Amino acid sequence: MSAPSSLKFAANLSWLYTDLPFLDRFEAAARDGFKGVECLFPHEFPMPEVRDRLRHNGLQLVLFNAAPGDWSQGDRGLACLADREAAFHASIDDALTLAEALDCPRIHVMAGLCREDDQAASWARYQAHLAWAAQRAEQAGRTLMIEPINTRDMPGYLLNRQAPAHALVQAIGSAHLQVQMDLYHCQIMEGDLTMQLRQWLPTGSVGHLQIAAVPDRGEPNAGELHYPHVFAELAALNWQGWIGCEYKPRQSGPGGTSAGLGWWRALQTA
């Protein structure tokens, strides 16, 4: 079994180092040894500033989210929504432009919320919109991600499980559309995580992983998931992609994120 120290971890700057202003989190992540970072919505900050922080700190932005609509008004993505096609198209084009400027290879496209009585129509819109977006991503040399999200944290979200996500990617048939497999969400919705990884990683359809403890979404060193086993399994499966640290540090306040990185430091010497 390969050494887990070969795995690549990216700090999610929307979840980590939150005692600092967003633009100051890049330096903090680099200081702790991260080479990659991800975040939710970099479009909310001046692009030249984000680009400069990446370059100054020697960091690669490996993933960000396309604009999800109006988050404050309840939007959680636009891809499956009726009467929002123009806004969805604009969000994709804007995200692809930003990805080029920031040299980011992957963009997470959120599906959106769906009423129980609108499932079939929502899925049809979702597939059609993603097929269009995947063509745009191919032209731009980027890859779009779709992520199953658990219904406890985000009730009503259209995409919740791995199999439908992979079936959708297969149906669209673009190398520029992949699955973002968040192990926290997967454990809550489906469990049996070892077999999930063994089933889906060899397909080549998984483009990005994310981690957090279950159930508290803290550092991956407690709770019902035994991450040393998970990391060893990922190494055995020869996972070469990034693993996003999308968790909420249990210690709040200054230095809380850095203090909680013992799990990662231990891997460096494993």
Side-chain angles (χ1 to χ4, degrees), residues 95-137:
L96 291 171
T97 298
L98 183 59
E100 181 176 5
L102 298 177
D103 195 23
C104 181
R106 296 169 205 86
I107 301 165
H108 173 207
V109 180
M110 296 189 72
L113 306 181
C114 170
R115 298 192 319 271
E116 200 62 40
D117 62 356
D118 194 37
Q119 288 279 329
S122 293
W123 272 103
R125 287 190 295 268
Y126 189 40
Q127 181 167 341
H129 289 166
L130 286 177
W132 173 88
Q135 290 182 334
R136 302 290 285 182

Side-chain angles (χ1 to χ4, degrees), residues 26 47-61 100-103:
F26 293 85
M47 185 280 293
E49 284 286 336
V50 175
R51 183 180 58 198
D52 289 348
R53 300 300 172 105
L54 288 165
R55 291 176 175 174
H56 178 75
N57 291 290
L59 294 168
Q60 179 184 355
L61 182 62
E100 181 176 5
L102 298 177
D103 195 23

Side-chain angles (χ1 to χ4, degrees), residues 130-191:
L130 286 177
W132 173 88
Q135 290 182 334
R136 302 290 285 182
E138 181 176 7
Q139 294 166 5
R142 310 291 157 180
T143 303
L144 306 182
M145 301 285 123
I146 57 172
E147 177 188 23
I149 295 177
N150 81 77
T151 54
R152 184 166 72 207
D153 288 349
M154 198 171 288
Y157 194 74
L158 180 68
L159 183 64
N160 314 125
R161 295 176 179 271
Q162 298 301 311
H166 285 269
L168 191 56
V169 166
Q170 185 175 13
I172 291 172
S174 170
H176 294 266
L177 179 68
Q178 293 184 305
V179 176
Q180 181 173 317
M181 190 175 183
D182 187 313
L183 305 190
Y184 164 80
H185 294 304
C186 187
Q187 172 68 10
I188 291 172
M189 293 302 297
E190 304 180 73

